[in-house]
Amino acid sequence: MPAAPSRPLALGIDIGGTKVAAGVVDGAGVIIEELRRVTPGRDARAVESVIVELVTELGTRHKIESVGIGAAGWMDLEGARVVFSPHLAWRDEPLRDTLESMLGRPVLVTNDADAAAWAESHFGAGRGHSRMIMLTLGTGIGGALVLDGKVERGAFGMAGEFGHQIIMPGGHRCECGNRGCWEQYASGNALGREGRELARKQSPMAAGLLEATHGKTKDITGTVVTELALQGEATAQELVAEVGDWLGLGMANLAAALDPAIFVIGGGLSAAGDLLLEPARRAYARNLTGRGYRKEAAITVAELGAAAGLIGAADLSRTRS
């Protein structure tokens, strides 16, 4: 796909718990060059140094007009400050001003889920839809809402925490402090937990899971269960379908409030494809308010994969350049 000549090159940076990825992105959402570094622990200053290193190196080969930083956490509405980041020691950190002074380019700071949703809505599975909800299913549930071509951030910049809707009062304890959050039932972590529970109870249904992990219950993770499901292992497929049921229920709740045209599902658990999405679609239709008398949102897998956050952060940065 050719670059869009009317839009300058931008650099997106995706900061994760284990890696920092940086990529030069053209106006069509295509990554021209990408570099990766190991995330240097929780030291915020060290991460900033890595960011400068990556931008400097890529800037020697490309004319980069702006930089977008995507990371887990809450950002202010101006894209200037990191209010709170779970992976790093950023607390009310004026990251944009710090990096702009070091890089000499416009910088935008954004939530990683918002960045991924922006990319999918403009370059991926959400193209052509004015109202899109993106859900990323991994350790938990990340989320973002795109309305009329804009990421909806809410009044205080904290919209999109869909994984923390309470779907089972008094249920599993969540890291956020509450019980029964959606992500405790419809995430990769939830899938692994259910597999380990079967193994701990010495259920014969867990035989395939234990064989795959050489009898080590602790090694039964959401990734392992997903891979086994794709290989046809019956218990793994049943567990994935149960997670799909919870996924569909939560999406029906979101549809009642927000009425999107499409749900785009990303994250590691989305690799299960229709083994996950078909049960989700059935549960969604079964629990949808006004079912039978309204149009149903499409439910589909994200197209851009792990690159979505990087692409979206880069493209969003153009709004400040």
Side-chain angles (χ1 to χ4, degrees), residues 6-321:
S6 62
R7 306 186 74 202
L9 294 179
L11 193 148
I13 294 179
D14 184 15
I15 303 172
T18 60
K19 56 85 181 147
V20 179
V24 179
V25 180
D26 70 16
V30 175
I31 299 175
I32 298 172
E33 184 180 357
E34 183 177 356
L35 297 175
R36 290 173 178 259
R37 297 287 189 273
V38 174
T39 301
R42 297 178 62 87
D43 185 339
R45 302 288 85 79
V47 172
E48 290 165 14
S49 296
V50 168
I51 291 171
V52 172
E53 175 189 330
L54 289 166
V55 175
T56 301
E57 180 174 345
L58 289 167
T60 63
R61 296 188 288 275
H62 306 278
K63 186 178 179 181
I64 298 165
E65 298 293 333
S66 60
V67 178
I69 311 291
W74 292 323
M75 318 301 169
D76 69 3
L77 288 171
E78 289 72 40
R81 306 179 77 88
V82 182
V83 179
F84 170 80
S85 176
H87 299 316
L88 298 162
W90 281 329
R91 303 291 185 270
D92 196 28
E93 182 74 26
L95 185 61
R96 184 184 72 189
D97 291 347
T98 299
L99 290 176
E100 283 187 343
S101 67
M102 299 169 77
L103 298 174
R105 295 178 174 88
V107 173
L108 179 78
V109 180
T110 187
N111 172 268
D112 54 357
D114 288 345
W118 177 269
E120 288 291 344
S121 70
H122 284 71
F123 308 114
R127 290 188 307 274
H129 296 282
S130 62
R131 299 178 69 90
M132 182 197 88
I133 289 177
M134 183 167 184
L135 301 168
T136 53
L137 312 181
T139 301
I141 297 179
L145 172 66
V146 177
L147 296 178
D148 299 324
K150 297 181 180 179
V151 177
E152 174 53 54
R153 302 283 313 286
F156 307 107
M158 298 181 183
E161 293 292 335
F162 304 132
H164 296 290
Q165 61 169 305
I166 295 176
I167 205 165
M168 176 61 74
H172 294 296
R173 176 73 71 182
C174 182
E175 291 177 0
C176 76
N178 290 328
R179 287 186 178 274
C181 291
W182 189 27
E183 70 175 40
Q184 294 302 312
Y185 298 86
S187 65
N189 266 13
L191 182 61
R193 183 195 65 230
E194 292 301 298
R196 291 190 297 275
E197 183 69 13
L198 278 177
R200 280 194 292 268
K201 291 184 179 300
Q202 299 182 332
S203 169
M205 292 180 63
L209 307 181
L210 287 167
E211 181 180 353
T213 58
H214 307 289
K216 297 180 179 178
T217 298
K218 66 179 180 63
D219 290 342
I220 299 174
T221 63
T223 299
V224 168
V225 177
T226 299
E227 291 173 350
L228 288 173
L230 290 168
Q231 294 167 17
E233 206 281 326
T235 296
Q237 289 187 344
E238 182 176 323
L239 292 173
V240 169
E242 288 177 359
V243 168
D245 287 341
W246 285 108
L247 178 61
L249 174 59
M251 288 192 296
N253 289 344
L254 293 177
L258 300 169
D259 192 27
I262 187 170
F263 289 93
V264 175
I265 312 300
L269 189 50
S270 69
D274 281 343
L275 292 174
L276 174 74
L277 294 192
E278 280 304 314
R281 291 180 182 118
R282 290 193 294 271
Y284 173 78
R286 186 170 63 247
N287 291 284
L288 187 63
T289 300
R291 54 192 175 275
Y293 297 95
R294 62 179 288 175
K295 291 183 178 180
E296 296 181 12
I299 300 171
T300 190
V301 173
E303 292 181 2
L304 300 177
L310 187 158
I311 294 169
D315 200 62
L316 280 167
S317 76
R318 293 188 176 98
T319 64
R320 225 185 106 66
S321 60

